[in-house]
Amino acid sequence: MDIEKKLQILGAAAKYDVSCSSSGSRRPAPKGGSGNGVAAGICHSWADDGRCISLLKTLFTNVCIHDCAYCVNRRSNDIPRAAFTVDEICELTMEFYRRNYIEGLFLSSGVMRNADYTMERLMLVAKKLRDEHRFGGYIHLKAIPGASRELIRQAGLHADRISVNIELPTERSLLLLTDKKKEDIMLPMGEISSAIVENRDERKHLRSAPRFAPAGQSTQLIVGATPENDHQIVRLSEGLYTNYGLKRVYYSAFVPVSNDNRLPALATPPLLREHRLYQADWLMRYYGFAAGEILDDRSPFLDEEMDPKSAWALRNMHLFPIDIQTAPYESLLRVPGIGVKSAQRIVIARRQTRLSYDDLKKIGVVMKRAKHFLTVGGRMLLPGSGRPLRLIRRDLVTRAMLDPSRQLSLFPA
Amino acid sequence: MSVQYAYDGSFPGVLCALCASLGEKERPFGIVSEREFQPALLAPTVPVTTDDDRAGRFMERITTVMGRHVRRTLVRAFLSDLPGRELRLYDYLAFLRDRGPRGDACLTHPSVAPVRDLARQVTVEAHRLTGLARFARVDEGLLLALMEPRHLILPLIAPHFIRRFPAERWAMIDVGRGVGLYWDTKEPHEIESGPETTRLLNSIPVEEGQDIYEKMWRRYFKDIAIPERRNPRCQRRFMPVRYWKYLTEKR
């Protein structure tokens, strides 16, 4: 089979992996080689589904010994199978990279023969790219559950990021839909996480020590394939960020890829739910929210009608309004309609002048939402803001997402 | 009577014009490059001679007094290459002169906001094109990228590509402005419009689809999208149609 045909099969098979980030690693181009890491990451294209393409995202092989019900590459699925050679992937990566199509490689794989054999192939690709092709660009490798510690450690020495996908948020779902156990996933995740911490310590004492996965670790959860609620998912993510030091948790709206009766029949992927989970995730990573503030056992699902920060603010009206001129940065971040950028701008600009309604608009604050939560010099920003809850709620609802006509153009069947 | 300054269109040129006009009491009627120059009925024209030393000293003074951030804003807003930017730069600097270096933090002030906004637009486009520039292999292994950016971002993205491909021979051409840059693995060379540019432009393989990697990339680009999630609006928001002309996968 030629390389073109293989890429058709294995590139397409990798599309359900969400992550494509190339950020978090700064690396100069090796002598005589090509490629560097840019800390902010660079997107090179956007696919027809609007997702950014930053890395050549492909599987090494779609042959797999596992039979996970939600996965398109499951053993029992009747599809064409292929496997790259190590050299073929290196060549593709280098030639795509030279044309500036990509920022690097994201290599995942089905499990061929056994976990160690597969993990070794992935590691060898990264090693060859670094040593022989003198490639300094971004490399993201999947850690294959069940692979030996030593192989994963070696992989981390060549890669910028390593990830293990959790996919299903609870062990019950895992047991129902796969032949994997919780330890298969959490064990390597824990090992990678401690290797990263050890490496950071080591490099404090010895600058020349080789770096281990400098862009950290990430994972992915499938949303809507199993009955977990948003509260369980958000709590799990919070645990992964605090206990495992993960850089990112990705959420992937379940796209039915089989008629297995253990899986729900969905007309369309739950994209709005996925979107709300990302917003909640952002609140935890950039806005100083705890999972318990976003959801609790009594209301375990995110409000689809409005973003989770607005929903939180409505439940906590006793904390508002706050004064634009004096409120600390952390409180500004909690106002619906104020994002990280506008909060930072407010803090800079208010030292120079008293901010007015128009100033806030210029700064980028969404006044329709924010006006209900802010005062200037002890007075509400506008007459009619801070009105009864019912009316505030009306301003917080994101209509565009609920409007059926828009929904059609966003997600055609 | 307020006057109109005419300069040669270069960055040192505009610095000399700004330096001269800031020394006067009155706000100038205009600061225009010779390219855009049109005699004004009511304002006498003062031609500005470009003096690199003077421009350098002026820039240094701005950096020491106002800070590196102001310098950066100034450079980037100028590279926006939009008509009328010079007078906005004048207003910005005049405001900072009166208000002091902290004036730059008056984010919403009418003298500050437009200039910072121009600088931001330029930064955004420069970052975008570090991703969207596409090289094609032409004669003798040379990699060539063509682009038509809205702003003059070539000087901003060149260092990125020099860091990225130090061992490759490559060139980038801003087709709309007819300027470019050639990296010969040791040092960069400016390409002015002229026979060299024409030669490079003609060296692009005429026949499409000769390069197997271009072909594979196009196919890959189609395959990587999840059909159930099609979202062309979102795609265009991040990757505006005006860039498609030079995108291998969208051409």
Side-chain angles (χ1 to χ4, degrees), chain A residues 264-298:
Chain A
L266 302 172
T268 52
L271 293 178
L272 186 52
R273 185 177 174 204
E274 176 196 284
H275 177 65
R276 293 290 180 229
L277 278 168
Y278 272 115
Q279 290 180 315
D281 188 86
W282 247 255
L283 288 185
M284 293 193 287
R285 288 189 301 135
Y286 297 114
Y287 290 79
F289 278 81
E293 290 179 286
I294 300 168
L295 287 171
D296 54 43
D297 285 327
R298 279 168 304 153

mmCIF file of all heavy atoms in Angstrom, chain A residues 264-298:
data_model
loop_
_atom_site.group_PDB
_atom_site.id
_atom_site.type_symbol
_atom_site.label_atom_id
_atom_site.label_comp_id
_atom_site.label_asym_id
_atom_site.label_seq_id
_atom_site.Cartn_x
_atom_site.Cartn_y
_atom_site.Cartn_z
ATOM 1 N N PRO A 264 -26.014 5.257 23.121
ATOM 2 C CA PRO A 264 -27.247 5.992 22.841
ATOM 3 C C PRO A 264 -27.350 6.296 21.348
ATOM 4 O O PRO A 264 -26.338 6.450 20.668
ATOM 5 C CB PRO A 264 -27.064 7.280 23.634
ATOM 6 C CG PRO A 264 -25.591 7.454 23.758
ATOM 7 C CD PRO A 264 -25.011 6.074 23.806
ATOM 8 N N ALA A 265 -28.581 6.360 20.853
ATOM 9 C CA ALA A 265 -28.792 6.768 19.467
ATOM 10 C C ALA A 265 -29.000 8.276 19.452
ATOM 11 O O ALA A 265 -29.997 8.776 19.951
ATOM 12 C CB ALA A 265 -29.997 6.048 18.887
ATOM 13 N N LEU A 266 -28.047 9.010 18.936
ATOM 14 C CA LEU A 266 -28.148 10.471 18.916
ATOM 15 C C LEU A 266 -28.333 10.935 17.483
ATOM 16 O O LEU A 266 -27.660 10.449 16.577
ATOM 17 C CB LEU A 266 -26.866 11.103 19.469
ATOM 18 C CG LEU A 266 -26.453 10.724 20.892
ATOM 19 C CD1 LEU A 266 -25.079 11.277 21.200
ATOM 20 C CD2 LEU A 266 -27.476 11.233 21.887
ATOM 21 N N ALA A 267 -29.236 11.894 17.308
ATOM 22 C CA ALA A 267 -29.435 12.432 15.965
ATOM 23 C C ALA A 267 -28.228 13.268 15.555
ATOM 24 O O ALA A 267 -27.721 13.186 14.445
ATOM 25 C CB ALA A 267 -30.707 13.264 15.917
ATOM 26 N N THR A 268 -27.762 14.108 16.488
ATOM 27 C CA THR A 268 -26.580 14.937 16.224
ATOM 28 C C THR A 268 -25.676 14.853 17.448
ATOM 29 O O THR A 268 -26.147 14.581 18.546
ATOM 30 C CB THR A 268 -26.971 16.417 16.022
ATOM 31 O OG1 THR A 268 -27.762 16.815 17.134
ATOM 32 C CG2 THR A 268 -27.728 16.632 14.735
ATOM 33 N N PRO A 269 -24.386 15.115 17.274
ATOM 34 C CA PRO A 269 -23.510 15.114 18.447
ATOM 35 C C PRO A 269 -23.900 16.231 19.412
ATOM 36 O O PRO A 269 -24.340 17.290 18.960
ATOM 37 C CB PRO A 269 -22.115 15.377 17.862
ATOM 38 C CG PRO A 269 -22.250 15.442 16.389
ATOM 39 C CD PRO A 269 -23.686 15.400 16.026
ATOM 40 N N PRO A 270 -23.782 16.027 20.721
ATOM 41 C CA PRO A 270 -24.193 17.057 21.702
ATOM 42 C C PRO A 270 -23.186 18.205 21.752
ATOM 43 O O PRO A 270 -22.452 18.367 22.721
ATOM 44 C CB PRO A 270 -24.241 16.288 23.022
ATOM 45 C CG PRO A 270 -23.307 15.137 22.838
ATOM 46 C CD PRO A 270 -23.305 14.802 21.386
ATOM 47 N N LEU A 271 -23.189 19.025 20.698
ATOM 48 C CA LEU A 271 -22.172 20.069 20.571
ATOM 49 C C LEU A 271 -22.347 21.195 21.573
ATOM 50 O O LEU A 271 -21.378 21.753 22.069
ATOM 51 C CB LEU A 271 -22.195 20.643 19.150
ATOM 52 C CG LEU A 271 -21.751 19.667 18.068
ATOM 53 C CD1 LEU A 271 -21.850 20.321 16.696
ATOM 54 C CD2 LEU A 271 -20.337 19.201 18.313
ATOM 55 N N LEU A 272 -23.607 21.543 21.864
ATOM 56 C CA LEU A 272 -23.818 22.628 22.809
ATOM 57 C C LEU A 272 -23.347 22.219 24.204
ATOM 58 O O LEU A 272 -22.721 23.001 24.911
ATOM 59 C CB LEU A 272 -25.302 23.027 22.818
ATOM 60 C CG LEU A 272 -25.662 24.243 23.667
ATOM 61 C CD1 LEU A 272 -24.776 25.439 23.319
ATOM 62 C CD2 LEU A 272 -27.125 24.604 23.492
ATOM 63 N N ARG A 273 -23.613 20.989 24.556
ATOM 64 C CA ARG A 273 -23.154 20.487 25.860
ATOM 65 C C ARG A 273 -21.630 20.513 25.924
ATOM 66 O O ARG A 273 -21.042 20.937 26.923
ATOM 67 C CB ARG A 273 -23.679 19.062 26.066
ATOM 68 C CG ARG A 273 -23.339 18.530 27.437
ATOM 69 C CD ARG A 273 -23.925 17.155 27.681
ATOM 70 N NE ARG A 273 -23.439 16.645 28.960
ATOM 71 C CZ ARG A 273 -23.379 15.361 29.258
ATOM 72 N NH1 ARG A 273 -23.787 14.459 28.387
ATOM 73 N NH2 ARG A 273 -22.918 14.987 30.431
ATOM 74 N N GLU A 274 -20.994 20.088 24.861
ATOM 75 C CA GLU A 274 -19.541 20.112 24.797
ATOM 76 C C GLU A 274 -19.034 21.551 24.975
ATOM 77 O O GLU A 274 -18.102 21.823 25.735
ATOM 78 C CB GLU A 274 -19.083 19.550 23.447
ATOM 79 C CG GLU A 274 -17.593 19.609 23.218
ATOM 80 C CD GLU A 274 -17.226 19.419 21.739
ATOM 81 O OE1 GLU A 274 -17.276 18.273 21.268
ATOM 82 O OE2 GLU A 274 -16.876 20.414 21.069
ATOM 83 N N HIS A 275 -19.689 22.478 24.278
ATOM 84 C CA HIS A 275 -19.312 23.891 24.362
ATOM 85 C C HIS A 275 -19.412 24.414 25.796
ATOM 86 O O HIS A 275 -18.519 25.088 26.307
ATOM 87 C CB HIS A 275 -20.227 24.684 23.433
ATOM 88 C CG HIS A 275 -20.018 26.163 23.465
ATOM 89 N ND1 HIS A 275 -18.840 26.739 23.047
ATOM 90 C CD2 HIS A 275 -20.818 27.173 23.872
ATOM 91 C CE1 HIS A 275 -18.935 28.051 23.192
ATOM 92 N NE2 HIS A 275 -20.123 28.350 23.689
ATOM 93 N N ARG A 276 -20.499 24.069 26.481
ATOM 94 C CA ARG A 276 -20.669 24.518 27.874
ATOM 95 C C ARG A 276 -19.607 23.908 28.778
ATOM 96 O O ARG A 276 -19.131 24.549 29.709
ATOM 97 C CB ARG A 276 -22.062 24.144 28.381
ATOM 98 C CG ARG A 276 -23.211 24.874 27.700
ATOM 99 C CD ARG A 276 -23.261 26.342 28.069
ATOM 100 N NE ARG A 276 -24.357 27.039 27.428
ATOM 101 C CZ ARG A 276 -24.234 28.190 26.765
ATOM 102 N NH1 ARG A 276 -23.045 28.778 26.661
ATOM 103 N NH2 ARG A 276 -25.269 28.776 26.217
ATOM 104 N N LEU A 277 -19.236 22.656 28.515
ATOM 105 C CA LEU A 277 -18.194 22.031 29.332
ATOM 106 C C LEU A 277 -16.854 22.740 29.139
ATOM 107 O O LEU A 277 -16.109 22.945 30.087
ATOM 108 C CB LEU A 277 -18.070 20.545 28.978
ATOM 109 C CG LEU A 277 -19.096 19.646 29.661
ATOM 110 C CD1 LEU A 277 -19.096 18.263 29.032
ATOM 111 C CD2 LEU A 277 -18.823 19.547 31.163
ATOM 112 N N TYR A 278 -16.572 23.124 27.899
ATOM 113 C CA TYR A 278 -15.338 23.891 27.667
ATOM 114 C C TYR A 278 -15.368 25.208 28.425
ATOM 115 O O TYR A 278 -14.375 25.638 28.996
ATOM 116 C CB TYR A 278 -15.126 24.164 26.175
ATOM 117 C CG TYR A 278 -14.374 23.059 25.481
ATOM 118 C CD1 TYR A 278 -14.975 22.288 24.501
ATOM 119 C CD2 TYR A 278 -13.056 22.775 25.822
ATOM 120 C CE1 TYR A 278 -14.287 21.268 23.866
ATOM 121 C CE2 TYR A 278 -12.359 21.749 25.192
ATOM 122 C CZ TYR A 278 -12.987 21.006 24.218
ATOM 123 O OH TYR A 278 -12.300 19.994 23.603
ATOM 124 N N GLN A 279 -16.541 25.866 28.438
ATOM 125 C CA GLN A 279 -16.640 27.127 29.179
ATOM 126 C C GLN A 279 -16.386 26.899 30.668
ATOM 127 O O GLN A 279 -15.678 27.658 31.311
ATOM 128 C CB GLN A 279 -18.021 27.751 28.954
ATOM 129 C CG GLN A 279 -18.199 28.276 27.540
ATOM 130 C CD GLN A 279 -19.567 28.904 27.325
ATOM 131 O OE1 GLN A 279 -20.592 28.347 27.736
ATOM 132 N NE2 GLN A 279 -19.601 30.053 26.672
ATOM 133 N N ALA A 280 -16.951 25.802 31.187
ATOM 134 C CA ALA A 280 -16.748 25.492 32.601
ATOM 135 C C ALA A 280 -15.265 25.207 32.862
ATOM 136 O O ALA A 280 -14.688 25.635 33.868
ATOM 137 C CB ALA A 280 -17.596 24.288 33.000
ATOM 138 N N ASP A 281 -14.644 24.509 31.934
ATOM 139 C CA ASP A 281 -13.224 24.181 32.038
ATOM 140 C C ASP A 281 -12.389 25.464 32.084
ATOM 141 O O ASP A 281 -11.472 25.612 32.888
ATOM 142 C CB ASP A 281 -12.849 23.326 30.821
ATOM 143 C CG ASP A 281 -11.454 22.758 30.923
ATOM 144 O OD1 ASP A 281 -11.287 21.681 31.529
ATOM 145 O OD2 ASP A 281 -10.527 23.404 30.405
ATOM 146 N N TRP A 282 -12.729 26.410 31.204
ATOM 147 C CA TRP A 282 -12.036 27.703 31.193
ATOM 148 C C TRP A 282 -12.204 28.417 32.534
ATOM 149 O O TRP A 282 -11.269 29.005 33.041
ATOM 150 C CB TRP A 282 -12.583 28.575 30.052
ATOM 151 C CG TRP A 282 -11.574 28.816 28.974
ATOM 152 C CD1 TRP A 282 -10.892 29.977 28.750
ATOM 153 C CD2 TRP A 282 -11.117 27.896 27.972
ATOM 154 N NE1 TRP A 282 -10.042 29.815 27.686
ATOM 155 C CE2 TRP A 282 -10.151 28.564 27.190
ATOM 156 C CE3 TRP A 282 -11.416 26.555 27.679
ATOM 157 C CZ2 TRP A 282 -9.487 27.957 26.126
ATOM 158 C CZ3 TRP A 282 -10.764 25.954 26.620
ATOM 159 C CH2 TRP A 282 -9.818 26.647 25.855
ATOM 160 N N LEU A 283 -13.410 28.345 33.097
ATOM 161 C CA LEU A 283 -13.644 29.002 34.386
ATOM 162 C C LEU A 283 -12.700 28.448 35.451
ATOM 163 O O LEU A 283 -12.210 29.176 36.300
ATOM 164 C CB LEU A 283 -15.097 28.800 34.837
ATOM 165 C CG LEU A 283 -16.168 29.568 34.063
ATOM 166 C CD1 LEU A 283 -17.536 29.374 34.705
ATOM 167 C CD2 LEU A 283 -15.842 31.052 33.969
ATOM 168 N N MET A 284 -12.439 27.152 35.373
ATOM 169 C CA MET A 284 -11.549 26.554 36.382
ATOM 170 C C MET A 284 -10.096 26.920 36.128
ATOM 171 O O MET A 284 -9.331 27.146 37.048
ATOM 172 C CB MET A 284 -11.709 25.022 36.378
ATOM 173 C CG MET A 284 -13.080 24.571 36.856
ATOM 174 S SD MET A 284 -13.118 22.797 37.214
ATOM 175 C CE MET A 284 -13.081 22.086 35.584
ATOM 176 N N ARG A 285 -9.702 26.992 34.843
ATOM 177 C CA ARG A 285 -8.281 27.209 34.557
ATOM 178 C C ARG A 285 -7.871 28.682 34.557
ATOM 179 O O ARG A 285 -6.758 29.015 34.892
ATOM 180 C CB ARG A 285 -7.911 26.569 33.220
ATOM 181 C CG ARG A 285 -7.877 25.050 33.303
ATOM 182 C CD ARG A 285 -7.308 24.431 32.052
ATOM 183 N NE ARG A 285 -8.085 24.788 30.875
ATOM 184 C CZ ARG A 285 -7.543 25.167 29.730
ATOM 185 N NH1 ARG A 285 -6.245 25.239 29.600
ATOM 186 N NH2 ARG A 285 -8.318 25.477 28.710
ATOM 187 N N TYR A 286 -8.773 29.564 34.147
ATOM 188 C CA TYR A 286 -8.366 30.969 34.005
ATOM 189 C C TYR A 286 -9.137 31.944 34.887
ATOM 190 O O TYR A 286 -8.772 33.093 34.997
ATOM 191 C CB TYR A 286 -8.519 31.420 32.545
ATOM 192 C CG TYR A 286 -7.634 30.675 31.591
ATOM 193 C CD1 TYR A 286 -8.172 29.841 30.614
ATOM 194 C CD2 TYR A 286 -6.245 30.775 31.682
ATOM 195 C CE1 TYR A 286 -7.356 29.161 29.735
ATOM 196 C CE2 TYR A 286 -5.417 30.091 30.815
ATOM 197 C CZ TYR A 286 -5.986 29.289 29.835
ATOM 198 O OH TYR A 286 -5.175 28.602 28.977
ATOM 199 N N TYR A 287 -10.246 31.508 35.461
ATOM 200 C CA TYR A 287 -11.106 32.453 36.171
ATOM 201 C C TYR A 287 -11.179 32.175 37.664
ATOM 202 O O TYR A 287 -11.937 32.818 38.381
ATOM 203 C CB TYR A 287 -12.516 32.451 35.574
ATOM 204 C CG TYR A 287 -12.594 33.052 34.190
ATOM 205 C CD1 TYR A 287 -12.201 32.331 33.071
ATOM 206 C CD2 TYR A 287 -13.047 34.353 34.004
ATOM 207 C CE1 TYR A 287 -12.265 32.869 31.807
ATOM 208 C CE2 TYR A 287 -13.118 34.909 32.726
ATOM 209 C CZ TYR A 287 -12.727 34.160 31.641
ATOM 210 O OH TYR A 287 -12.800 34.711 30.381
ATOM 211 N N GLY A 288 -10.410 31.199 38.125
ATOM 212 C CA GLY A 288 -10.356 30.925 39.552
ATOM 213 C C GLY A 288 -11.617 30.296 40.142
ATOM 214 O O GLY A 288 -11.899 30.464 41.332
ATOM 215 N N PHE A 289 -12.387 29.586 39.338
ATOM 216 C CA PHE A 289 -13.581 28.914 39.856
ATOM 217 C C PHE A 289 -13.242 27.493 40.302
ATOM 218 O O PHE A 289 -12.381 26.837 39.718
ATOM 219 C CB PHE A 289 -14.661 28.831 38.775
ATOM 220 C CG PHE A 289 -15.477 30.075 38.624
ATOM 221 C CD1 PHE A 289 -14.993 31.154 37.890
ATOM 222 C CD2 PHE A 289 -16.724 30.181 39.218
ATOM 223 C CE1 PHE A 289 -15.749 32.312 37.738
ATOM 224 C CE2 PHE A 289 -17.486 31.331 39.076
ATOM 225 C CZ PHE A 289 -16.996 32.398 38.337
ATOM 226 N N ALA A 290 -13.939 27.022 41.339
ATOM 227 C CA ALA A 290 -13.831 25.619 41.729
ATOM 228 C C ALA A 290 -15.008 24.866 41.128
ATOM 229 O O ALA A 290 -16.064 25.453 40.892
ATOM 230 C CB ALA A 290 -13.853 25.502 43.249
ATOM 231 N N ALA A 291 -14.811 23.561 40.897
ATOM 232 C CA ALA A 291 -15.878 22.765 40.292
ATOM 233 C C ALA A 291 -17.164 22.877 41.104
ATOM 234 O O ALA A 291 -18.261 22.963 40.558
ATOM 235 C CB ALA A 291 -15.436 21.307 40.177
ATOM 236 N N GLY A 292 -17.033 22.906 42.431
ATOM 237 C CA GLY A 292 -18.191 22.971 43.300
ATOM 238 C C GLY A 292 -18.978 24.271 43.177
ATOM 239 O O GLY A 292 -20.138 24.336 43.573
ATOM 240 N N GLU A 293 -18.352 25.318 42.667
ATOM 241 C CA GLU A 293 -19.081 26.565 42.460
ATOM 242 C C GLU A 293 -19.896 26.514 41.173
ATOM 243 O O GLU A 293 -20.909 27.184 41.031
ATOM 244 C CB GLU A 293 -18.096 27.737 42.368
ATOM 245 C CG GLU A 293 -17.415 28.087 43.666
ATOM 246 C CD GLU A 293 -16.461 29.239 43.467
ATOM 247 O OE1 GLU A 293 -15.382 29.024 42.875
ATOM 248 O OE2 GLU A 293 -16.788 30.360 43.900
ATOM 249 N N ILE A 294 -19.394 25.742 40.215
ATOM 250 C CA ILE A 294 -20.042 25.702 38.902
ATOM 251 C C ILE A 294 -21.268 24.807 38.925
ATOM 252 O O ILE A 294 -22.311 25.129 38.361
ATOM 253 C CB ILE A 294 -19.035 25.229 37.833
ATOM 254 C CG1 ILE A 294 -17.843 26.201 37.766
ATOM 255 C CG2 ILE A 294 -19.702 25.124 36.470
ATOM 256 C CD1 ILE A 294 -16.672 25.690 36.974
ATOM 257 N N LEU A 295 -21.147 23.658 39.596
ATOM 258 C CA LEU A 295 -22.267 22.711 39.651
ATOM 259 C C LEU A 295 -22.286 22.030 41.016
ATOM 260 O O LEU A 295 -21.283 21.991 41.716
ATOM 261 C CB LEU A 295 -22.092 21.627 38.574
ATOM 262 C CG LEU A 295 -22.328 22.035 37.119
ATOM 263 C CD1 LEU A 295 -21.891 20.920 36.202
ATOM 264 C CD2 LEU A 295 -23.779 22.395 36.872
ATOM 265 N N ASP A 296 -23.451 21.487 41.372
ATOM 266 C CA ASP A 296 -23.490 20.643 42.567
ATOM 267 C C ASP A 296 -24.469 19.498 42.335
ATOM 268 O O ASP A 296 -25.047 19.377 41.258
ATOM 269 C CB ASP A 296 -23.864 21.471 43.798
ATOM 270 C CG ASP A 296 -25.151 22.239 43.597
ATOM 271 O OD1 ASP A 296 -26.113 21.647 43.044
ATOM 272 O OD2 ASP A 296 -25.206 23.429 43.958
ATOM 273 N N ASP A 297 -24.638 18.654 43.366
ATOM 274 C CA ASP A 297 -25.459 17.460 43.180
ATOM 275 C C ASP A 297 -26.913 17.774 42.887
ATOM 276 O O ASP A 297 -27.601 17.006 42.230
ATOM 277 C CB ASP A 297 -25.382 16.590 44.449
ATOM 278 C CG ASP A 297 -24.051 15.867 44.510
ATOM 279 O OD1 ASP A 297 -23.544 15.538 43.413
ATOM 280 O OD2 ASP A 297 -23.519 15.675 45.612
ATOM 281 N N ARG A 298 -27.380 18.947 43.369
ATOM 282 C CA ARG A 298 -28.789 19.269 43.155
ATOM 283 C C ARG A 298 -29.058 19.689 41.710
ATOM 284 O O ARG A 298 -30.094 19.389 41.150
ATOM 285 C CB ARG A 298 -29.235 20.364 44.119
ATOM 286 C CG ARG A 298 -29.569 19.818 45.510
ATOM 287 C CD ARG A 298 -29.709 20.960 46.465
ATOM 288 N NE ARG A 298 -28.486 21.772 46.441
ATOM 289 C CZ ARG A 298 -28.423 23.051 46.729
ATOM 290 N NH1 ARG A 298 -29.517 23.707 47.042
ATOM 291 N NH2 ARG A 298 -27.276 23.697 46.705
#
